[in-house]
């Protein structure tokens, strides 16, 4: 360990401490973490809604999620498709650097979805669900602002490494969100 000791004219010793190594938080790093976290979350949550195309699942769902009874089956499936698309859109365009401007648009779409969900729950008097909508909407709004103006991802050429990484993320989404969601919804009694 290098420690630099110096004395001034009065004999007071000044010890310079070495710079500590540690986790350095950057806006870009925070945005990537949020994109990964919320990308997987929205893909999984949306996939659960997409599965509502099955009439038997849709009929049983209001027992687990009360607000499903107030929304038509096609609308729930549409919301699910929007959430899955938004979740994937938070990750893949930025990772591949192919049309990375789609990432803040996906985040903006998810933020709008959460604002509409919060309004829906307020109208129904389901105030306990509103804070989750606000947190999710706020995080996706932060991603929108961060990737739109503050730290946008520059477009780049398609490379094998980026494509393999993106394929790995898609496989991860399927294995970590789609399969468990499908298994739980098709093998659990509500």
């Amino acid at each position: 360990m290098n420690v630099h000791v110096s004395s001034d004219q009065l004999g007071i010793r000044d010890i310079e401490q070495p710079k500590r190594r540690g986790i350095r938080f950057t806006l870009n790093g925070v945005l990537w973490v949020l994109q990964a976290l919320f990308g997987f979350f929205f893909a999984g949550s949306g996939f659960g809604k997409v599965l509502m195309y099955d009439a038997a699942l849709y009929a049983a769902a209001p027992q687990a999620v009360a607000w499903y009874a107030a929304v038509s089956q096609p609308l729930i499936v549409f919301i699910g498709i929007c959430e899955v698309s938004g979740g994937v859109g938070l990750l893949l365009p930025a990772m591949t650097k192919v049309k990375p401007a789609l990432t803040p648009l996906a985040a903006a779409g998810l933020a709008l979805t959460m604002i509409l969900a919060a309004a829906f729950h307020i109208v129904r008097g389901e105030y306990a669900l509103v804070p989750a909508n606000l947190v999710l909407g706020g995080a996706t709004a932060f991603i929108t602002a961060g990737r739109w103006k503050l730290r946008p991802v520059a477009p780049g050429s398609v490379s094998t490494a980026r494509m393999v990484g993106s394929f790995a993320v898609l496989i991860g989404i399927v294995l970590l969100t789609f399969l468990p969601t499908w298994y739980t919804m098709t093998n659990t009694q509500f």
Side-chain angles (χ1 to χ4, degrees), residues 27-127:
L27 179 59
N28 191 45
V30 169
L31 287 169
W32 273 113
V33 168
L34 290 175
Q35 284 173 244
L37 181 69
F38 289 102
F40 275 85
F41 172 80
F42 278 108
S45 173
F47 186 69
K49 292 174 184 79
V50 170
L51 290 176
M52 291 296 127
Y53 75 88
D54 182 344
L57 286 175
Y58 177 71
Q63 296 169 358
V65 181
W67 66 265
Y68 281 7
V71 179
S72 69
Q73 183 180 15
L75 182 57
I76 291 175
V77 173
F78 175 73
I79 293 168
I81 290 169
C82 291
E83 288 183 358
V84 169
S85 301
V88 171
L90 287 178
L91 294 169
L92 290 187
M95 283 185 69
T96 60
K97 295 192 176 190
V98 174
K99 302 285 186 191
L102 293 175
T103 294
L105 292 176
L110 290 170
L112 177 61
T113 302
M114 290 300 103
I115 290 168
L116 293 172
F120 171 79
H121 292 306
I122 289 170
V123 168
R124 286 182 42 88
E126 299 169 332
Y127 301 111

Side-chain angles (χ1 to χ4, degrees), residues 172-186:
I173 288 172
V174 168
L175 293 177
L176 297 173
T177 62
F178 290 0
L179 287 179
T181 301
W182 171 80
Y183 181 80
T184 302
M185 291 183 71
T186 58

